[in-house]
Amino acid sequence: MYCFFDFYCLEYNFLLFFDKIETLLIISLLFITCSAYFLQSLQSKIINKILMKVAVVGATGMVGKVMLQVLAERNFPITELIPVASERSVGKIISYKGTDYAVVNLATAVTMCPDIALFSAGGDTSLEWAPKFADVGTTVIDNSSAWRMDPTKKLIVPEINGDVLTSEDKIIANPNCSTIQLVMALAPLHTKYTMKRVVISTYQSVSGTGVKAVQQLDNEEAGIKGEMAYPHPIGRNALPHCDVFLENGYSKEEMKLVKEPKKILRDDSFSVTATAVRIPTTGGHSEAVNVQFLTDFDLAEVRQLLSDTPGVVVQDNLETNTYPMPITAHHKDDVFVGRIRRDESQENTLNLWIVADNLRKGAATNTIQIAEYLIDNQLV
Ligand SMILES: NC(=O)c1ccc[n+]([C@@H]2O[C@H](COP(=O)([O-])OP(=O)(O)OC[C@H]3O[C@@H](n4cnc5c(N)ncnc54)[C@H](OP(=O)(O)O)[C@@H]3O)[C@@H](O)[C@H]2O)c1
């Protein structure tokens, strides 16, 4: 009897032992699988970080300089920086994170086969050189208007339509500065109430025209006669003239505001009209926007929708004179929205005042966010 009991105890312990082994085996297998998965994703992240060779084309310009600042601030995973500019600047030294780099020309940069090239050197340069970089396997993100409306190229604001990007996209267009801040504010409202018509009046910074325009304003303020970027003085003035005039009487900048939002929002059911004006500010572009929706809205809900949108900040308190201004948007990556009010002259219509730093979210930051999206999603 005693023995019989012992035998059962032994068998019980034996089974328990195997049960434990089985459990241990399962746990070990799970551990190995999780570790392998973790190591694999870590490895791909490390590989991406180790191999990122980045060319900044237009590194000596307004946008290029801010790109270098934003790349450094965001700790973009660069192992080799290639600053590129015109022949005039070849050999100039650009300092990035404490290291000096000599500016090279476009032909040299192509032979260096960068992983990513961030272009801000004008439309003609992009048209000629972006395909040459793409041919050597570089992913180009271009700030000029050269490729924006090309149906084979994607026009990206990562928060809105980053999801359309694939590893096949070798030339990606960054929208116009005035468009980016506009769609950042309008996208959540369009999703909720459906836009019918948008009327935009811009008040644009001279930094949007580049180094020469900022120099013109500086010269005028200092009483120096110098090279003119605009056909008229810009100090103490307002020019209803941004970019060149087109056959239809609109400026090219105005037509960018008409066309680009439709491509980004993948919807051409709404209509847009714009007047673009250059004013003597440097910190950012401002826009007075009147938008009519198909459905009615609640103002508190509009404020909430905008406040809940990443990258959008509501500044709207009349009691404290709080509203967006170029001087406070300067050097910031967010898009600021204020003066949110109902248009009492027309049903379902809203008035907004939108301000952003045209060199940050309007250009450099958005470009670098596109590059970050590509890296995070292993598309480059
Ligand atoms: N400023 C803005 O707010 C803004 C916003 C969105 C988009 N963009 C677009 O970004 C681009 C640059 O604008 P930006 O304001 O920075 O102009 P910018 O201050 O005049 O700078 C132009 C840059 O392009 C370089 N460059 C000019 N011709 C070149 C060539 N043939 N080959 C190589 N590099 C050349 C210049 O080099 P050098 O110094 O050697 O001349 C300089 O680095 C434009 O296409 C503009 O439409 C500007």
Side-chain angles (χ1 to χ4, degrees):
M1 177 75 184
Y2 198 74
C3 266
F4 186 71
F5 181 74
D6 253 9
F7 174 76
Y8 266 101
C9 264
L10 198 70
E11 192 186 44
Y12 179 74
N13 280 338
F14 194 67
L15 283 174
L16 214 65
F17 175 72
F18 271 102
D19 218 26
K20 275 185 187 158
I21 287 233
E22 203 173 77
T23 316
L24 263 174
L25 270 174
I26 290 171
I27 289 173
S28 309
L29 265 174
L30 267 172
F31 179 74
I32 290 166
T33 315
C34 288
S35 307
Y37 178 77
F38 175 74
L39 281 175
Q40 199 186 11
S41 68
L42 192 71
Q43 189 192 20
S44 69
K45 273 185 186 153
I46 290 169
I47 285 172
N48 269 335
K49 284 193 192 242
I50 287 173
L51 299 179
M52 216 37 72
K53 200 193 280 186
V54 178
V56 175
V57 180
T60 52
M62 293 291 329
V63 175
K65 284 180 185 164
V66 178
M67 270 187 194
L68 293 169
Q69 277 169 27
V70 177
L71 286 167
E73 278 168 26
R74 297 172 80 98
N75 222 5
F76 194 86
I78 297 182
T79 46
E80 190 179 341
L81 177 74
I82 309 169
V84 189
S86 77
E87 296 295 342
R88 293 179 289 275
S89 305
V90 170
K92 256 190 195 171
I93 297 299
I94 298 262
S95 200
Y96 176 76
K97 282 188 163 184
T99 306
D100 286 348
Y101 297 87
V103 171
V104 299
N105 65 17
L106 283 153
T108 306
V110 173
T111 63
M112 296 167 86
C113 300
D115 298 290
I116 294 178
L118 309 174
F119 265 63
S120 63
D124 292 342
T125 306
S126 295
L127 278 176
E128 183 183 348
W129 287 91
K132 294 182 184 170
F133 278 84
D135 284 348
V136 296
T138 304
T139 302
V140 173
I141 308 171
D142 180 43
N143 258 283
S144 79
S145 57
W147 305 100
R148 289 180 191 149
M149 295 315 295
D150 182 326
T152 66
K153 305 289 180 291
K154 293 177 184 160
L155 184 63
I156 301 293
V157 177
E159 296 92 332
I160 299 172
N161 64 342
D163 60 321
V164 301
L165 289 169
T166 70
S167 56
E168 304 295 304
D169 297 311
K170 287 295 172 200
I171 301 176
I172 300 163
N174 194 67
N176 180 41
C177 39
S178 328
T179 305
I180 295 177
Q181 64 187 71
L182 179 79
V183 292
M184 281 290 291
L186 294 187
L189 305 180
H190 182 51
T191 305
K192 181 79 185 173
Y193 311 112
T194 312
M195 295 189 300
K196 184 178 173 196
R197 180 167 187 254
V198 189
V199 183
I200 308 146
S201 301
T202 71
Y203 303 72
Q204 297 187 214
S205 154
V206 290
S207 63
T209 319
V211 169
K212 279 186 189 161
V214 177
Q215 191 59 55
Q216 179 182 331
L217 180 60
D218 287 348
N219 287 344
E220 285 178 27
E221 284 175 351
I224 299 168
K225 225 177 157 41
E227 202 183 333
M228 298 280 279
Y230 302 117
H232 303 282
I234 184 65
R236 302 180 182 207
N237 208 358
L239 308 178
H241 183 176
C242 297
D243 210 330
V244 295
F245 287 118
L246 304 172
E247 270 182 13
N248 66 357
Y250 284 79
S251 67
K252 198 171 168 192
E253 185 83 359
E254 288 162 351
M255 292 314 292
K256 291 173 200 167
L257 280 162
V258 170
K259 292 175 183 166
E260 292 178 18
K262 298 177 187 191
K263 181 162 176 180
I264 298 161
L265 297 171
R266 285 169 272 183
D267 186 352
D268 55 10
S269 65
F270 57 90
S271 53
V272 183
T273 189
T275 301
V277 180
R278 190 73 63 188
I279 58 164
T281 49
T282 53
H285 292 347
S286 307
E287 294 173 346
V289 180
N290 178 272
V291 49
Q292 184 177 25
F293 298 104
L294 287 182
T295 58
D296 200 9
F297 54 83
D298 173 66
L299 268 186
E301 191 181 50
V302 165
R303 283 203 176 84
Q304 196 56 52
L305 278 171
L306 290 167
S307 301
D308 291 345
T309 303
V312 174
V313 174
V314 172
Q315 290 179 330
D316 198 24
N317 186 343
L318 303 187
E319 281 169 18
T320 56
N321 297 326
T322 302
Y323 33 73
M325 296 180 288
I327 213 165
T328 45
H330 198 199
H331 301 309
K332 309 231 170 74
D333 287 321
D334 290 316
V335 171
F336 300 91
V337 187
R339 303 296 321 279
I340 302 167
R341 63 214 189 275
R342 190 176 281 280
D343 175 350
E344 293 173 345
S345 73
Q346 183 168 259
E347 65 172 10
N348 307 343
T349 307
L350 184 71
N351 277 314
L352 301 168
W353 175 249
I354 305 170
V355 180
D357 185 331
N358 51 295
L359 294 173
R360 305 268 314 191
K361 184 58 184 167
T365 303
N366 196 68
T367 305
I368 291 159
Q369 286 172 325
I370 295 173
E372 287 171 344
Y373 186 96
L374 295 171
I375 293 172
D376 290 348
N377 292 281
Q378 294 171 22
L379 302 174
V380 70

